[in-house]
Amino acid sequence: MNNKRPTIYEEFKAKGYSRREFVTFCSLMGAWLGLEVSGVSQVAKALEAKSRPPIIWLHFQECTCCSESFIRSSHPLVADIILDKISLDYTETLMAAAGHQAEKSLHDTMTNYKGEYILMVEGSIPTKEDGVYCCIGGKTAYDIMQEVAEGAKAIIAWGSCATNGCVQAAAPNPTGAAPVGKVIHGKPIINVPGCPPIAEVMAGVVVHLLAFDRIPALDSQNRPKSFYSRRVHDTCYRRPNYDAGLFVETFDDENAKKGYCLYKMGCKGPNTYNACGVIRWNNGVSFPIQSGHPCIGCSENNFWDNGPFYEHLKSFPGFGIESTADKVGLGLGIATGAALGAHAVATNIRKRKLIIKGRKEIEAESSND
Amino acid sequence: MEQNILKLDPKLKLVYVWQQPVRIFHWVNALAVLMLCITGYLIGAPLAIQHGTEASFNYWFGIIRAIHFIAGYVFFFNFIFRLYWGFVGNEYSKWDNYVPYKKKQWKGIWEVLKVDIFQLKLGPYETIGHNSLASTTYFMTFIAFIFQSLTGFGLYAAMSPSWFPKLFSWFVPLVGGDMAARHLHHLLMWVFILFAMIHIYLVFYHDYIERNGVTSSMIGGWKFIEVNEDEDKMNED
């Protein structure tokens, strides 16, 4: 790493943070990342010794909610060092430079730190009509992505857009929006899904990269295991109500007031892997379920196409919007029952003939004997 | 009185069709599927039960789910046993009855459709073991069994500390995540319910119309079959 750059700890001090705040931050990060106690001092030592790696943060088809979430990290140190100083490198939303200057700074970072910089991507990349649906500085998102990814050490895909396409990729996906993993191959990609991801999760992933110089343990979908290995359902404080069979039936009933389980309101917690129930949002103040709203499963692949937010079953294709598997199944059950009834009637009419026929045959045979 | 007593058709012979392991499989499977459908439906659409007490006093939904998971294990291993029996069992339980890879089986399916379902021809179309249509249907339910096991254990893996369900977790991302797997699992439940309705009806129908004792054959293993002198005819089925 370039020694001319100040270390991360020096940057902290320059910003006016105390040693105590720094250690608190390291402990928090250690806890979120699930490190053992000795790991905390490793984090602290690494941040004292290392300088911040150059970072390029690209924005494509997105709403910037990932950046918004990131700057609201409960402990502001990471957001501070990365976002305040990020104008040194490149990010469309927050950098000071504009126009040709901005393009130059992107170019400089790419050439000066080839193979060293970390590429962070917010947003999906349109692939239809040669990618014309998202162009920056005269280049398509697709081309920019290929160019910048080339020299990146690692890529972090922020949010659902960059990890699975999010709403742009929802059916019928008019722009052919694709996540980073579909357009870039052969580079380590860390997927951090969520709409947006939790600020502390984003910070945790960055700190892991900074402190250990390697990618955190990832699951089969390239999500960091420390944050995405458990279901919201299994870490939900309302879970005892689920096991007790106590459910909110409507949003304004007594059960809702008592804080019962939101499963019947379409809560996607049982199908969603995220850390909302543990880390929560806005400095641990709350998370959707705590605020009385079912989880919409925003960190799951294609969550926009996974059925209505307030119902648990998808609508059944070809049978209208209101039809669920249960309604179709029940309809088929009734139809089957009716068909069986008709068949039974026909059988009985036929059976009279068979009985008479059978009896005659047997009688004929016994009289022959 | 005399009129109501039918003499036993002298051509009817008792044939031992279903071996004991097949019968045990059938009833264990029936019970497991029944439990799975009831508890599964409740898991999808829990009853609206009001309590005056705190959550810590109740656990009915947890018990429903526990029954579902236990029945799931029973269902799965029972199924594995039946697959094994498809290789070591008698001629009526052998795997090649079920996979419709012979032209004769497809012809048989058409015959059964004409005689039993559309009632175009006066029957009976008799076979000793399963008829071709039934065996093909069972083959398809076995495929449903496989998908139900893959989605069921795949979904269960996330909440189980056991290594066994984890063997199935690779399947969930293939269908597009937990939500999609859950949907598939739920749809297949209806396939089981519809199958059970038609299956039970047709067993009664055959017993009624053919007087071959097919209903009780799954208890005792014996069926009354019209055995012709022509042995080839019998072996053909």
Side-chain angles (χ1 to χ4, degrees):
Chain A
M1 211 129 291
N2 194 332
N3 286 329
K4 279 175 223 159
R5 289 183 165 221
T7 67
I8 295 164
Y9 179 51
E10 281 163 0
E11 292 200 51
F12 278 165
K13 281 198 295 190
K15 296 279 293 178
Y17 289 109
S18 68
R19 173 79 191 169
R20 176 176 286 265
E21 279 168 317
F22 173 70
V23 173
T24 307
F25 169 75
C26 293
S27 312
L28 271 175
M29 282 299 155
W32 286 331
L33 287 167
L35 303 177
E36 44 195 87
V37 180
S38 62
V40 175
S41 61
Q42 263 182 286
V43 172
K45 283 207 180 93
L47 297 186
E48 279 169 10
K50 286 178 188 168
S51 61
R52 179 179 64 80
I55 288 165
I56 295 174
W57 186 309
L58 295 177
H59 298 253
F60 298 127
Q61 289 181 314
E62 46 90 331
C63 71
T64 320
C65 74
C66 299
S67 299
E68 290 287 343
S69 174
F70 196 44
I71 58 177
R72 278 160 189 77
S73 169
S74 63
H75 211 288
L77 288 182
V78 164
D80 262 6
I81 54 157
I82 289 166
L83 291 179
D84 280 8
K85 308 271 179 179
I86 211 157
S87 53
L88 289 172
D89 304 330
Y90 186 86
T91 175
E92 281 96 343
T93 313
L94 296 165
M95 63 188 164
H100 292 297
Q101 273 184 314
E103 294 306 312
K104 185 178 180 299
S105 106
L106 171 64
H107 188 73
D108 287 350
T109 311
M110 278 167 57
T111 44
N112 295 344
Y113 298 100
K114 196 167 169 59
E116 275 178 48
Y117 61 87
I118 294 170
L119 172 59
M120 300 181 177
V121 183
E122 215 180 323
S124 59
I125 298 117
T127 56
K128 275 192 191 162
E129 328 292 345
D130 295 326
V132 293
Y133 296 109
C134 181
C135 290
I136 300 156
K139 281 188 266 184
T140 64
Y142 186 87
D143 290 341
I144 297 171
M145 194 60 215
Q146 300 296 341
E147 201 185 326
V148 182
E150 181 67 35
K153 190 181 185 186
I155 302 171
I156 303 180
W158 291 137
S160 293
C161 298
T163 61
N164 60 56
C166 203
V167 70
Q168 308 86 274
N173 193 357
T175 64
V180 174
K182 286 236 175 92
V183 298
I184 298 296
H185 301 283
K187 284 279 169 189
I189 297 173
I190 308 168
N191 282 333
V192 187
C195 194
I198 304 170
E200 285 72 19
V201 169
M202 300 173 80
V205 173
V206 172
V207 166
H208 192 286
L209 276 178
L210 296 183
F212 300 109
D213 240 346
R214 60 184 147 83
I215 286 172
L218 303 178
D219 67 8
S220 62
Q221 297 176 49
N222 289 337
R223 302 175 298 190
K225 275 185 181 167
S226 26
F227 302 111
Y228 294 94
S229 61
R230 300 178 79 192
R231 301 183 304 165
V232 171
H233 190 53
D234 294 329
T235 51
C236 180
Y237 79 104
R238 296 197 185 199
R239 178 60 190 267
N241 294 288
Y242 173 82
D243 289 325
L246 300 173
F247 300 104
V248 174
E249 301 289 333
T250 58
F251 278 118
D252 54 357
D253 68 1
E254 191 61 26
N255 296 358
K257 272 187 211 163
K258 284 181 182 163
Y260 286 174
C261 175
L262 290 158
Y263 180 67
K264 289 174 90 170
M265 304 311 294
C267 183
K268 303 292 186 290
N271 312 102
T272 305
Y273 295 79
N274 208 336
C276 299
V278 181
I279 296 175
R280 307 195 182 189
W281 292 77
N282 302 321
N283 207 355
V285 168
S286 183
F287 70 115
I289 295 168
Q290 192 175 346
S291 307
H293 191 280
C295 168
I296 62 171
C298 75
S299 58
E300 285 299 295
N301 283 347
N302 309 320
F303 79 101
W304 293 99
D305 290 333
N306 267 342
F309 288 162
Y310 301 106
E311 275 169 41
H312 232 296
L313 279 175
K314 263 186 181 181
S315 58
F316 200 78
F319 287 84
I321 290 169
E322 289 298 313
S323 68
T324 60
D326 280 342
K327 283 179 189 161
V328 173
L330 198 64
L332 283 175
I334 292 165
T336 308
L340 297 182
H343 192 270
V345 171
T347 300
N348 269 297
I349 294 167
R350 208 169 59 128
K351 180 158 171 139
R352 285 180 64 85
K353 282 191 234 160
L354 269 183
I355 290 172
I356 294 161
K357 191 178 148 225
R359 186 181 293 153
K360 274 183 187 159
E361 274 176 13
I362 292 164
E363 273 167 7
E365 265 174 41
S366 31
S367 60
N368 283 346
D369 297 338
Chain B
M1 179 70 188
E2 268 294 305
Q3 278 201 334
N4 287 330
I5 299 172
L6 276 177
K7 286 200 187 113
L8 195 66
D9 190 333
K11 277 181 288 183
L12 287 182
K13 297 279 183 316
L14 270 179
V15 184
Y16 188 61
V17 180
W18 313 125
Q19 293 164 294
Q20 195 179 42
V22 172
R23 277 144 39 211
I24 292 173
F25 158 78
H26 177 270
W27 291 113
V28 170
N29 191 53
L31 189 69
V33 169
L34 180 69
M35 296 312 284
L36 284 164
C37 284
I38 294 172
T39 53
Y41 185 82
L42 283 173
I43 291 168
L47 300 171
I49 293 181
Q50 307 282 323
H51 286 285
T53 52
E54 285 297 315
S56 48
F57 288 94
N58 306 289
Y59 199 67
W60 79 264
F61 201 58
I63 289 165
I64 294 277
R65 291 172 66 249
I67 294 170
H68 192 81
F69 302 143
I70 293 163
Y73 272 105
V74 171
F75 170 83
F76 180 76
F77 286 108
N78 194 43
F79 173 49
I80 295 293
F81 168 77
R82 183 61 183 85
L83 291 181
Y84 162 76
W85 201 257
F87 293 94
V88 301
N90 69 11
E91 54 182 304
Y92 310 112
S93 53
K94 272 264 159 58
W95 68 273
D96 60 359
N97 284 294
Y98 299 92
V99 188
Y101 66 100
K102 285 178 275 190
K103 206 176 167 192
K104 202 164 65 187
Q105 287 166 307
W106 289 101
K107 264 168 80 181
I109 292 173
W110 180 234
E111 277 301 305
V112 178
L113 279 174
K114 278 199 291 196
V115 173
D116 289 337
I117 310 301
F118 304 128
Q119 311 208 350
L120 296 171
K121 265 166 78 175
L122 203 59
Y125 177 81
E126 285 192 338
T127 42
I128 298 179
H130 297 304
N131 69 46
S132 300
L133 180 63
S135 359
T136 307
T137 309
Y138 296 142
F139 179 58
M140 289 189 288
T141 60
F142 274 28
I143 290 170
F145 282 16
I146 293 169
F147 276 99
Q148 205 64 328
S149 304
L150 287 171
T151 50
F153 280 111
L155 287 167
Y156 182 54
M159 62 188 110
S160 165
S162 163
W163 58 272
F164 181 76
K166 305 247 186 307
L167 300 176
F168 297 80
S169 49
W170 57 271
F171 184 73
V172 174
L174 289 188
V175 293
D178 277 38
M179 203 59 207
R182 189 183 177 282
H183 199 226
L184 184 61
H185 197 71
H186 198 108
L187 280 175
L188 283 170
M189 175 194 75
W190 281 103
V191 172
F192 280 69
I193 293 172
L194 294 177
F195 168 82
M197 283 173 70
I198 299 170
H199 173 70
I200 293 166
Y201 171 78
L202 283 178
V203 168
F204 287 2
Y205 161 84
H206 281 288
D207 211 338
Y208 186 58
I209 206 87
E210 292 167 10
R211 287 167 281 162
N212 57 6
V214 64
T215 314
S216 60
S217 76
M218 207 29 93
I219 299 170
W222 301 91
K223 266 169 113 174
F224 294 96
I225 304 288
E226 190 172 307
V227 179
N228 290 334
E229 316 296 291
D230 189 1
E231 278 292 312
D232 289 337
K233 172 89 175 71
M234 188 185 95
N235 290 340
E236 188 188 82
D237 301 322

